[in-house]
Amino acid sequence: MVESPKSVPEQSSPGPNRLSLWRRTPPLVLPMLVLSCGLVVAGAVAVKGIRTATDTVTVTGASTERLRSDYADWTVTVSGNGLSQQQAYQNLQPDLKRTLAFLQDAGIPENSTQLTVLRTDRNDIRNRVTGMLTNTEWTARQSIHVGSSDVALIRKASNTISNLIGDGVSLAIQPPAYTYTKLAEKRVDMLAKATADARDRAIAIAGQAGSGIGAITNADTGTFQITVPNSTKMGSYGSYDTSTIDKDITAVMGVTFRVQ
């Protein structure tokens, strides 16, 4: 007797499995997913690199010192008038001799004085109504230039030479110009101290954020000021005051440091 085959229970149709989903995925989806992951990683690396390159702090440092001038330039001009060029020159000579004698008596050596080129000017005087020439006057001028490292002596002489004017000498007196001859050497020293001051400021700023200061990435020399003592006057392009023997010298530096 032949047994009839056992019936196999009918199974419900299986849902989409992983293989079928993989096969049904559009061809461009997988490459796009891989590319997206790569961009995310590359983007993280790029941002990290940019942050390292731009983590800097820029500060301004300054250094100020009091210095004493070591040279003085001084000029006085003697003049004489006359109705002719010759007469003006002749009238000039006595006053010129008296001025030179004053400088010698003040202790200024003869080799510290120098006569500049004589200048003469003609002045035509005309009638205000007719414009006709009525007179001609001449003025002769002789300047005496004094240069000395004895700045105290020059200051004393410049304060008393006006007595000659009271005695009838025709003088034009310029104030002495006091300068510092070793300024080039001092400038290097002052800029170094300004840079050190900038580093101290940068360390204080970075320390508030728990960071440190590294190498200098940029340095910009700012204004260089030479002013009267305790002056608050600053020039945009620097300044050099020559009116006083003692003066303050200030160097300013803008420095950029890398933050670590």
Side-chain angles (χ1 to χ4, degrees):
M1 182 173 179
V2 180
E3 296 181 358
S4 61
K6 296 181 180 180
S7 61
V8 180
E10 184 178 357
Q11 297 180 355
S12 60
S13 300
N17 54 31
R18 293 181 180 178
L19 180 61
S20 62
L21 285 175
W22 183 274
R23 290 175 177 173
R24 290 163 55 188
T25 301
L28 294 179
V29 172
L30 182 60
M32 291 179 66
L33 289 173
V34 175
L35 178 61
S36 299
C37 293
L39 288 175
V40 170
V41 174
V45 174
V47 170
K48 183 178 180 181
I50 292 175
R51 182 178 180 184
T52 301
T54 57
D55 279 350
T56 59
V57 58
T58 300
V59 295
T60 299
S63 177
T64 301
E65 287 187 16
R66 179 73 51 84
L67 58 81
R68 187 172 182 84
S69 302
D70 58 5
Y71 199 81
D73 286 292
W74 181 37
T75 300
V76 294
T77 302
V78 188
S79 61
N81 299 317
L83 297 179
S84 66
Q85 189 178 35
Q86 180 183 13
Q87 187 180 39
Y89 173 79
Q90 292 173 345
N91 291 338
L92 167 70
Q93 297 309 307
D95 286 353
L96 179 60
K97 291 179 180 179
R98 293 179 64 181
T99 304
L100 290 172
F102 169 86
L103 296 176
Q104 186 175 1
D105 293 341
I108 299 175
E110 186 177 352
N111 59 6
S112 296
T113 62
Q114 180 180 4
L115 296 179
T116 63
V117 176
L118 177 72
R119 295 182 294 117
T120 58
D121 297 311
R122 173 176 172 169
N123 181 28
D124 292 333
I125 302 174
R126 299 181 179 276
N127 186 289
R128 295 182 180 179
V129 178
T130 64
M132 296 293 293
L133 179 64
T134 59
N135 198 6
T136 298
E137 293 181 352
W138 286 84
T139 301
R141 294 182 176 88
Q142 181 75 71
S143 293
I144 307 170
H145 176 73
V146 181
S148 175
S149 59
D150 193 340
V151 293
L153 179 64
I154 298 301
R155 178 172 60 182
K156 181 179 178 180
S158 65
N159 288 338
T160 56
I161 195 172
S162 57
N163 293 333
L164 290 177
I165 298 178
D167 294 336
V169 178
S170 180
L171 282 179
I173 307 169
Q174 295 184 8
Y178 302 104
T179 56
Y180 185 69
T181 59
K182 301 180 182 65
L183 187 59
E185 301 173 9
K186 177 59 68 174
R187 185 189 300 268
V188 174
D189 178 61
M190 296 295 293
L191 291 178
K193 292 179 179 178
T195 303
D197 179 63
R199 177 175 290 278
D200 291 340
R201 296 177 185 228
I203 291 174
I205 294 173
Q208 296 298 317
S211 302
I213 293 299
I216 295 176
T217 61
N218 185 58
D220 181 23
T221 303
T223 59
F224 202 81
Q225 312 282 350
I226 301 176
T227 62
V228 298
N230 303 316
S231 173
T232 58
K233 182 179 180 180
M234 294 291 175
S236 301
Y237 301 97
S239 61
Y240 197 146
D241 184 89
T242 60
S243 63
T244 60
I245 295 178
D246 295 316
K247 54 193 82 226
D248 286 346
I249 177 172
T250 302
V252 178
M253 284 285 290
V255 188
T256 300
F257 296 92
R258 190 175 300 281
V259 177
Q260 296 178 336

